[in-house]
Amino acid sequence: MALDLTLTPLYRINGQEIASLPGLVALTPPASAARGRERDRLIVYLLLTGTSTFSTSEYLKVAQDAANIFYKTTGALTSALRIAADNVNQTLLSRNTNTTVKGQYAIGWLTMAVLRETQCTLALCGPMHAWLGQKEMRHIHEPAVSGKGLGFNQTLNIHYAQTTLNAGDRLLFFGRAPSAWDSTLNDSAVYSSSSDALHRRLITLTGADLNAVLIQATEGAGVLNLLKGMTVTPPPLTVSLSHEEEAFASPKADSADAPSAHVLQPSAYAIPAQPEEVRAPEKSQGNPLDRLPRNPNAGAYPTSIPRAQAQTQPEESEPISADSFPAVEDPMPALRKRRERVVREPLIQTRQAAKALAGAIQFTRRSTTTLGEKFRKFMPRFLPDSDSTVPLGVPSNAMMMFMAVLIPLMVVVMMSVVYIRYGRSQQYDTYISSAQGFRAQALALTDPLEQRQAWENVLTNVRTARSYNETSETITLQQEAEASLDKLLGVTRLQFNPAFSTKLDIEISRMTASESDIYMLNAANGEVIRAVPAQNKGGYEVDTTFTCKQGVYDNFTVGSLVDILVLPAVNLQHATILGVDASGNLLYCGPDQPPIPATLPIPESQWGRVTSFVMDGGLLYVLDSSKSAVWIYTDDNGIYNKPPQFFFGGQTPEKQDVIDIVVSGADLYMLHADGHLSTCTFSRIETAPTRCEDPLPYINNSFPAYGDTNLFAGAHFTQMLFTALPGQSILLLDVDSPTQGVFRFSPRILNLQDQYRPKTSSPGSIPSGPIDAMAVGANHVLYLAVNGQVYFTTDMP
């Protein structure tokens, strides 16, 4: 069922209701959307805090850029959200680095919501709030995970959450709510009223400044509607951000005959772009940034994009009081330190090189002056001149032009030779000597943390030395430093090889593998592709005769498959894999035979949306993430035709954001959208109910070189699986850099054993970009899917 979403801003500054929220963008997928983004509708809600000055177009551009990057990113949904959020972080961080000397900074609080059919995925950066539901509201607010906001540093903190939307559901996003809202947000009776009534109630409860967006889901055709607020005179176009959140700017309200809602077309922006105007000179000494020239084409968009009426009067910057807002941690000291490190006084060797270069330049000038005099006396006698009146020894016009070109050219050549001979060599010697010194220090140390810091210094200096001159010494030293760091940090480098001679040009959402074959699930259409070892060629080739996809089989209708698993070698259907769709229909597939459909008995609570399933000990465990349920089906001679048993007994987990599960015996492990794990131990005894632990902490007791660094805070886990016996371990896929690879944990206590990462250089490396899926065969072959290609290694321990 397609849902329409209606967005209503709640935006008030200094008692004035503003029609448009400058950081709000809502988009349907454009025609040029990257693979995997074709069905994703996106809402970006950006809230800026701090002391910097932003115009409305600058404010909106930050949100729009994040949306554009989201739709250009292939791969997993959470990876695209992470890359979009990182773009906002880098934009604000770069701006803060340049403006902190003036006492200005901006911190971003960001909420992104992606709706794919009825499944809604949220990504929160900073202490943002999300309320969603209908009769009973769910509150999503995890500041310990989502962090303080964007623009502080390179670290990106994101809290992911997932839920299923139904017609009538409402969502409310905001950064900080007035205290008058507390009783309303916790009163379930309020949500039974209409969306307009709830909007009016939230507006009238308080006269304080507001910055929020209310979203209503209704049955429809997948349209996004953005409603306008009341028509009032807005505050100025250029905004001086207060010391905390809602000091924003807004364009002038639409005219009376303008529509009150915009139905968004593909790739249309939710907020019409407002043209920048040239300001009249101000008498007072305002913010120096206000006098900088503005981009005259800031509002030049294609004709298909709706526009608001142009501004007709110049506007002025108006500071907003920050007394009513909570304090934000000032990032200026850290940013100033970063700038100070950049402008440290040069090394002694650098000064000596500069003195040598200055002396060489003076020598070059004296030489060119002497040569110029000699050429001036010689060339008139050597070159004919039609002007016989020019005295001997006086240069002609041609000669003067020749000298004007020759002398600067000689100066440039001489300076280049001197720099290459002395300057670059001096810089190389400086850095390689520093690297050698840190290497000796690392070899003499015994503390793992100090060793790590020393080897990191070796790596930094040797990389800088290689930028001036690459030698066998720099290559050897860098390899030694990287190998030493990997050993200290528990990283095992594996050599990966491409499975196919050319890319498959599909997005792979799931993979599974037998001892010889690979099975890949196409995320776009839910079709399974089988690959077999290529004869006498190495690698793999696609089996074009294999069929396993949605369709009608013997009066059974099977939808797009959402997950697949390898079946035992001996089964009644003679199939090699089993697939499941979102409605609980099964599909048995094997080579040289047509697919065989089957239907799982429907649970008492009915199906919501099946997203994953696993098999253990002949039992089938099916995850219905929308209803926070895991159902156990018993195998009856290879057929699952008995009613299922609810795994959790009399209790249902509160969180609906489980994205993957694995089972070992009675233990169920659940991976949540924000990357944390929880576990439950099944019990068939009524007096001893199923026990759960949430969260199940990640432990690093094996590698003290990390010190106080939280290795797992920067990881982005999206899939997990158990390795084959013996020596069974839990593998977690980290899809993004810098820790991109596979983490291996011991079961139950989740103690880190090591990490598997690709080699950093060819051969054996994989291209940059998020990892879409992983699989491990029974023969311990590890497979990774990246951008339509599969890479495999046989080196996994």
Side-chain angles (χ1 to χ4, degrees), residues 440-487:
Q441 180 184 2
L443 294 174
L445 292 170
T446 57
D447 180 77
L449 180 58
E450 294 178 349
Q451 287 179 327
R452 171 194 172 188
Q453 294 170 344
W455 283 116
E456 287 176 343
N457 289 331
V458 172
L459 206 53
T460 300
N461 282 274
V462 77
R463 284 172 176 169
T464 307
R466 290 186 69 176
S467 67
Y468 293 103
N469 188 18
E470 184 167 336
T471 64
S472 59
E473 183 179 15
T474 58
I475 296 174
T476 302
L477 193 54
Q478 180 169 338
Q479 291 175 345
E480 182 185 9
E482 290 175 343
S484 299
L485 280 172
D486 284 345
K487 183 177 180 181

Side-chain angles (χ1 to χ4, degrees), residues 149-223:
L150 304 174
F152 277 103
N153 49 47
Q154 297 288 349
T155 302
L156 191 63
N157 296 308
I158 304 180
H159 173 62
Y160 295 101
Q162 200 171 66
T163 188
T164 299
L165 287 185
N166 299 300
D169 283 350
R170 297 193 181 100
L171 298 90
L172 180 64
F173 300 155
F174 56 86
R176 172 183 173 270
S179 57
W181 280 12
D182 293 345
S183 59
T184 298
L185 294 176
N186 291 287
D187 184 2
S188 59
V190 173
Y191 301 108
S192 60
S193 60
S194 67
S195 179
D196 290 340
L198 178 59
H199 175 258
R200 286 194 300 270
R201 182 180 178 90
L202 294 175
I203 286 289
T204 56
L205 275 175
T206 178
D209 288 354
L210 299 176
N211 189 303
V213 57
L214 177 64
I215 304 172
Q216 174 74 52
T218 56
E219 294 185 16
V223 177

Side-chain angles (χ1 to χ4, degrees), residues 371-496:
L371 287 173
E373 291 295 331
K374 292 183 179 180
F375 269 106
R376 190 166 57 184
K377 294 179 180 179
F378 170 73
M379 291 304 292
R381 301 172 184 175
F382 181 74
L383 298 174
D385 195 337
S386 60
D387 188 0
S388 58
T389 61
V390 178
L392 187 63
V394 178
S396 64
N397 293 336
M399 178 59 190
M400 294 178 67
M401 293 178 61
F402 176 73
M403 296 297 294
V405 174
L406 177 63
I407 292 175
L409 180 61
M410 292 179 62
V411 171
V412 171
V413 171
M414 292 294 293
M415 291 176 63
S416 300
V417 170
V418 170
Y419 175 71
I420 293 174
R421 174 65 182 86
Y422 297 100
R424 291 180 64 87
S425 177
Q426 184 69 36
Q427 293 291 332
Y428 170 82
D429 292 340
T430 298
Y431 286 105
I432 199 66
S433 297
S434 297
Q436 292 286 8
F438 282 119
R439 175 185 178 273
Q441 180 184 2
L443 294 174
L445 292 170
T446 57
D447 180 77
L449 180 58
E450 294 178 349
Q451 287 179 327
R452 171 194 172 188
Q453 294 170 344
W455 283 116
E456 287 176 343
N457 289 331
V458 172
L459 206 53
T460 300
N461 282 274
V462 77
R463 284 172 176 169
T464 307
R466 290 186 69 176
S467 67
Y468 293 103
N469 188 18
E470 184 167 336
T471 64
S472 59
E473 183 179 15
T474 58
I475 296 174
T476 302
L477 193 54
Q478 180 169 338
Q479 291 175 345
E480 182 185 9
E482 290 175 343
S484 299
L485 280 172
D486 284 345
K487 183 177 180 181
L488 287 168
L489 301 178
V491 175
T492 302
R493 298 286 174 181
L494 304 178
Q495 178 168 332
F496 283 84

Side-chain angles (χ1 to χ4, degrees), residues 161 211 233 343 374 378 438 462 492 519 521 621 625 635 663 699:
N211 189 303
T233 303
V343 296
K374 292 183 179 180
F378 170 73
F438 282 119
V462 77
T492 302
Y519 297 91
L521 184 61
Y621 297 80
S625 60
D635 180 13
V663 176
I699 300 174

Side-chain angles (χ1 to χ4, degrees), residues 517-538:
D517 303 341
I518 317 172
Y519 297 91
M520 299 154 286
L521 184 61
N522 187 340
N525 57 16
E527 179 181 0
V528 180
I529 298 172
R530 176 179 181 243
V532 297
Q535 296 296 328
N536 303 323
K537 297 180 181 179

Side-chain angles (χ1 to χ4, degrees), residues 571-737:
N571 58 82
L572 292 179
Q573 291 78 12
H574 305 291
T576 54
I577 66 164
L578 177 63
V580 66
D581 69 8
S583 301
N585 298 307
L586 301 178
L587 197 63
Y588 294 86
C589 304
D592 304 321
Q593 69 177 41
I596 302 173
T599 299
L600 290 172
I602 300 176
E604 294 180 359
S605 62
Q606 303 296 314
W607 288 119
R609 178 181 176 83
V610 175
T611 55
S612 181
F613 73 150
V614 293
M615 183 181 292
D616 183 74
L619 300 177
L620 195 65
Y621 297 80
V622 182
L623 169 65
D624 185 344
S625 60
S626 65
K627 294 194 174 182
S628 301
V630 175
W631 299 98
I632 308 174
Y633 288 86
T634 304
D635 180 13
D636 185 8
N637 294 323
I639 300 174
Y640 300 95
N641 55 6
K642 296 181 179 179
Q645 184 175 4
F646 188 54
F647 184 94
F648 303 108
Q651 58 180 347
T652 301
E654 295 181 1
K655 296 185 177 180
Q656 299 176 329
D657 60 347
V658 177
I659 59 177
D660 204 3
I661 60 173
V662 293
V663 176
S664 178
D667 295 327
L668 168 69
Y669 297 85
M670 294 172 286
L671 176 62
H672 297 258
D674 61 3
H676 86 271
L677 274 183
S678 60
T679 183
C680 295
T681 301
F682 181 70
S683 174
R684 298 182 183 274
I685 305 174
E686 293 184 0
T687 57
T690 297
R691 304 184 311 276
C692 296
E693 182 179 359
D694 186 12
L696 183 64
Y698 299 115
I699 300 174
N700 175 21
N701 290 332
S702 305
F703 306 101
Y706 285 101
D708 295 332
T709 302
N710 185 357
L711 168 64
F712 312 111
H716 182 197
F717 298 131
T718 60
Q719 292 182 16
M720 66 175 175
L721 50 82
F722 270 114
T723 59
L725 295 171
Q728 194 174 50
S729 302
I730 295 179
L731 300 184
L732 283 170
L733 174 63
D734 180 13
V735 300
D736 293 327
S737 297

Side-chain angles (χ1 to χ4, degrees), residues 505-517:
D505 196 28
I506 63 171
E507 180 190 354
I508 301 171
S509 60
R510 292 280 184 173
M511 280 197 306
T512 187
S514 64
E515 289 191 1
S516 59
D517 303 341

